[in-house]
Amino acid sequence: MNYTRPLLALLALFPTSFVVADSTDYPLEIENCGMEVRFDSTPESTVTVGQSATETLYALGLSDRVSGTSVWFNPVLPEFSEADANIERLADNDPSFESVVNKRPELVAAQYEWHVGPTGSVASREQFHELGIATYIMPADCDTKDNTTGGDGTRIDAFSPEHVYKGITELAAIFDVQEAGETLVADLASREASAIAQAEALDLPEDLSAVFWFSSPDQSADPYVAGRLGAPGYMMDVLGIRNVIQSDEEWPNVGWETIARADPDIIVVARMDRRRFPADDIENKLDFLHNDPVAQEMSAVRHGRIIEMDAHAMSATLRTIFGLEALSESLSTLSFEQ
């Protein structure tokens, strides 16, 4: 099934105040992840907590408004490396509340609600608001998701790139750069449609199946794999692939014996620079798949159908479209003859 829609149809899904206009009429009020946020003018200084928020602002041409970044999985996109080099990285992972506040931002833009939410690991939104600092959480992390369930949260409905496009459109309105937002959404929507069309043109098996492995808390422990409603679930759905993991959790722990019994045709493994867990290292993932007595017997391993993907593309971000492109391209190179 082709889930792409023309740009105007996508924008029609958003509140009318966020459809591209000539300029923002301040004060601007936005309902963001269950909270009303008000902007009296364009934020002059922003701290980002999460790579998605950072790269979205860079893609909108707003690197000069970013005074500090944090929470990185992989290197910044190459086209933003020069701008990023001049911006302070407060932390590779969670920054402290003090380090964020010390930058005196007018806005904190976060990728995940668990960083800046009711029990935020950095701080609650109220703590920032009490200091006159506005907060914005990328809608892709909360519009179809319950983050009160712990861990990475539970999807209550399927992720769609529409939620990424909504975040781009709203940030463009906050910073009064609507034309840049429109251009970025149009480019991503076009790339999304092309990737889907490429896969539809392939002669793929009818019941093609896959599992997405993000990481593991220990090398031999049950892995964190993608549930059916997150960004990887979206990729599989639109490319005609069945996810062998049917959980609604974003990244459930599932045992290798269970995965092996499902015997996915494809294993997609996350590639990242982060080193929180041993299995963050893709070489450790590959070594495990080829040497573990259970994992090595899976069809995907025996037939060399292991695909490496940017870890950040597996999260609900603008990079999801790049992951979709990479997956579609990889499908064209694989053989499914037994």
Side-chain angles (χ1 to χ4, degrees):
M1 183 180 296
N2 191 326
Y3 286 77
T4 56
R5 299 172 180 165
L7 174 61
L8 291 179
L10 282 168
L11 292 177
L13 294 172
F14 307 147
T16 55
S17 60
F18 302 129
V19 175
V20 175
D22 291 336
S23 61
T24 299
D25 185 15
Y26 296 104
L28 174 68
E29 294 185 351
I30 294 177
E31 183 178 349
N32 172 242
C33 293
M35 181 174 288
E36 291 287 337
V37 185
R38 175 184 168 115
F39 297 89
D40 292 318
S41 60
T42 302
E44 293 297 326
S45 174
T46 302
V47 167
T48 54
V49 182
Q51 190 167 350
S52 175
T54 307
E55 292 185 335
T56 299
L57 291 178
Y58 289 173
L60 290 170
L62 296 167
S63 61
D64 62 328
R65 304 295 182 91
V66 180
S67 55
T69 71
S70 56
V71 188
W72 290 85
F73 288 94
N74 275 332
V76 70
L77 289 168
E79 58 266 37
F80 307 133
S81 58
E82 184 176 349
D84 182 70
N86 297 316
I87 298 171
E88 182 180 359
R89 181 174 294 196
L90 304 182
D92 289 335
N93 293 304
D94 295 10
S96 67
F97 176 59
E98 292 76 13
S99 69
V100 174
V101 171
N102 285 344
K103 298 301 292 184
R104 302 186 182 277
E106 293 180 18
L107 170 65
V108 171
Q111 176 174 344
Y112 298 114
E113 190 172 17
W114 69 273
H115 279 134
V116 181
T119 58
S121 62
V122 177
S124 69
R125 302 183 81 172
E126 288 80 6
Q127 284 175 280
F128 284 116
H129 295 176
E130 287 171 1
L131 298 175
I133 302 170
T135 58
Y136 180 84
I137 301 170
M138 302 303 287
D141 191 58
C142 56
D143 274 6
T144 63
K145 194 174 170 201
D146 180 0
N147 289 314
T148 66
T149 60
D152 294 300
T154 300
R155 290 280 171 185
I156 56 177
D157 202 356
F159 161 81
S160 164
E162 291 162 8
H163 307 294
V164 173
Y165 302 154
K166 176 183 176 182
I168 293 169
T169 303
E170 290 185 341
L171 282 171
I174 291 168
F175 285 91
D176 196 15
V177 289
Q178 286 87 336
E179 185 176 350
E182 180 180 12
T183 299
L184 179 56
V185 171
D187 176 63
L188 292 171
S190 175
R191 295 174 66 165
E192 178 191 0
S194 295
I196 294 171
Q198 179 184 32
E200 288 177 340
L202 300 174
D203 185 21
L204 297 174
E206 281 193 17
D207 193 35
L208 191 64
S209 62
V211 65
F212 277 60
W213 179 16
F214 191 83
S215 190
S216 303
D218 187 79
Q219 187 70 10
S220 59
D222 294 350
Y224 293 114
V225 291
R228 67 188 184 95
L229 298 177
Y234 152 78
M235 293 185 217
M236 286 183 268
D237 282 345
V238 296
L239 298 185
I241 303 170
R242 176 174 57 86
N243 188 355
V244 300
I245 307 301
Q246 288 298 294
S247 172
D248 290 349
E249 290 183 49
E250 191 84 342
W251 294 101
N253 272 126
V254 180
W256 280 112
E257 292 80 4
T258 300
I259 297 170
R261 281 195 298 271
D263 198 22
D265 298 304
I266 300 166
I267 299 174
V268 183
V269 293
R271 181 182 63 254
M272 70 185 87
D273 281 9
R274 189 193 77 171
R275 292 294 181 267
R276 181 174 292 177
F277 305 124
D280 286 351
D281 187 336
I282 196 166
E283 295 303 325
N284 289 343
K285 290 188 180 78
L286 297 175
D287 179 72
F288 175 86
L289 290 174
H290 288 292
N291 293 290
D292 179 79
V294 173
Q296 68 181 352
E297 294 302 321
M298 291 189 288
S299 297
V301 179
R302 288 188 292 108
H303 295 286
R305 294 193 291 264
I306 301 172
I307 298 172
E308 298 181 16
M309 182 179 290
D310 173 6
H312 204 46
M314 293 187 182
S315 296
T317 70
L318 61 81
R319 286 202 191 196
T320 296
I321 304 303
F322 308 158
L324 180 69
E325 290 176 319
L327 182 56
S328 181
E329 180 62 33
S330 293
L331 289 175
S332 70
T333 69
L334 298 179
S335 171
F336 295 99
E337 294 181 4
Q338 300 297 328

